[in-house]
Amino acid sequence: MTIAQTAPTPKPWYREPWPWILMAGPFAAMVGCFITIYFAYSNFTHEPILDGVVKRGLVIEQAASRASEGARAAPANP
């Protein structure tokens, strides 16, 4: 008997459990990313930002009032 006759035939890669176990982590991360993007898009797309308003995180500030205060200040002499 030769070695080729006694060796079992190898299974295809998709029949082995290790490739699927190794691919499960990145796949779960992708699913979590898509869920996060969906929630971010569905919960925060309907918040209008008006002219002169700046949103920094959860804080909304009126930038127009600061600009108008600067316009009211005395002009500098050149």
Side-chain angles (χ1 to χ4, degrees):
M1 276 197 170
T2 63
I3 295 175
Q5 292 174 344
T6 60
T9 58
K11 292 190 268 184
W13 71 269
Y14 53 86
R15 298 281 184 178
E16 296 289 336
W18 288 108
W20 299 107
I21 292 170
L22 293 174
M23 286 187 280
F27 180 72
M30 288 173 47
V31 170
C33 180
F34 289 133
I35 290 171
T36 303
I37 290 171
Y38 170 75
F39 283 142
Y41 183 75
S42 65
N43 291 336
F44 298 109
T45 57
H46 302 296
E47 295 181 15
I49 301 295
L50 303 174
D51 289 337
V53 177
V54 177
K55 183 175 181 183
R56 293 186 180 106
L58 296 177
V59 177
I60 298 175
E61 300 175 355
Q62 287 194 352
S65 63
R66 291 181 184 169
S68 62
E69 289 174 7
R72 281 188 242 148
N77 291 332

